[in-house]
Amino acid sequence: MASTKRSGMSEQRRHRLRLEISREAARLFWEQGVEATTGDQIAEAVGLSTRTIWRHFRSKESCAEPIVMQGVEWEMSMLRSWPAERSLEEHLSAESMRYAREAGDVERADDALAMRMIRLADTEPCVRTAWLMACDQVEREMAEIFAVRLQLPAGDLQVRLHAAAASAALRVINEDIGAALLVGADPRTFADAPERVAHAVRNATGGAVGDPVTP
């Protein structure tokens, strides 16, 4: 039991360190581009040795992955907590308001960095890979949640098609809103983002997903 606990703590520390490295790498990527950024610069920004960076990441480009994944963590958390008795609109609206109340400076800063990396993905293939990996994880989460709501196996073809279409819609919305905000759009313009997402999911699944589920 003790070794399991120590292993868990070690994994938590590893996750925190990887995220810290990713934050600094993302800042450098945004400021000067991926090609101009070196592993030594990332290490210096974090206050670690370059050797430590390479112990945690296979390449400098892969340093973008944790902060990009952090950018979709809210969507995945929201999906996992979607109660059967609530419509997607109701759940998204409630979760969005809760996040607005409870999110701290670190979470908001991570969101902004993730938004920049998603935007950078348009011109940097290696960052695009990180973004698509994150979207793939969202699709897998959607398949699990949709399967429960539709009372079908997660591997069912229809469930997988619904999840693929819905995650693609969510990706496009994230890219569109992020791009607009980064060029100065008024955030209040996107106050209806929860409704946009719910509408996109309903459309993508042909109306199969979105309503409350009765026992």
Side-chain angles (χ1 to χ4, degrees):
M1 174 70 85
S3 63
T4 301
K5 186 174 181 179
R6 283 197 299 271
S7 174
M9 289 298 291
S10 174
E11 186 60 31
Q12 288 176 11
R13 285 195 294 270
R14 179 176 178 274
H15 173 76
R16 286 196 298 268
L17 182 56
R18 277 175 53 83
L19 188 55
E20 183 180 350
I21 293 168
S22 189
R23 287 179 181 126
E24 296 303 328
R27 290 188 184 102
L28 289 168
F29 290 165
W30 182 253
E31 291 169 5
Q32 61 189 37
V34 177
E35 186 174 353
T37 300
T38 67
D40 290 340
Q41 289 175 324
I42 296 171
E44 183 178 357
V46 186
L48 298 171
S49 69
T50 305
R51 179 179 294 182
T52 300
I53 300 297
W54 301 143
R55 278 206 298 267
H56 290 276
F57 292 94
R58 63 189 180 277
S59 66
K60 68 175 183 181
E61 293 85 0
S62 67
C63 290
E65 292 170 8
I67 199 66
V68 172
M69 184 62 70
Q70 193 78 355
V72 299
E73 183 54 40
W74 181 82
E75 280 94 347
M76 293 195 292
S77 175
M78 178 275 298
L79 286 170
R80 296 183 199 112
S81 64
W82 184 11
E85 68 275 8
R86 268 188 177 176
S87 70
L88 184 56
E89 288 83 356
E90 291 172 324
H91 183 57
L92 272 171
S93 179
E95 288 298 295
S96 295
M97 288 189 289
R98 184 180 65 81
Y99 184 81
R101 289 193 310 270
E102 299 177 3
D105 292 341
V106 172
E107 289 86 356
R108 295 181 190 280
D110 283 348
D111 288 344
L113 276 175
M115 191 185 301
R116 292 186 180 105
M117 290 303 95
I118 293 168
R119 181 61 172 161
L120 196 60
D122 284 345
T123 55
E124 295 280 2
C126 56
V127 180
R128 185 72 176 174
T129 298
W131 172 224
L132 293 178
M133 286 172 61
C135 293
D136 180 70
Q137 186 59 40
V138 172
E139 180 180 329
R140 292 171 186 272
E141 294 277 350
M142 280 187 164
E144 295 289 339
I145 275 69
F146 289 2
V148 172
R149 297 187 79 87
L150 297 173
Q151 298 183 337
L152 291 169
D156 180 84
L157 178 60
Q158 196 60 54
V159 170
R160 291 173 59 199
L161 288 171
H162 285 331
S167 64
L170 186 59
R171 173 181 59 78
V172 172
I173 289 173
N174 277 331
E175 291 173 351
D176 185 66
I177 292 177
L181 291 174
L182 286 172
V183 296
D186 186 341
R188 290 174 296 183
T189 305
F190 302 106
D192 65 340
E195 290 78 11
R196 294 190 194 193
V197 171
H199 182 67
V201 170
R202 285 183 181 275
N203 279 348
T205 62
V209 177
D211 290 334
V213 176
T214 55

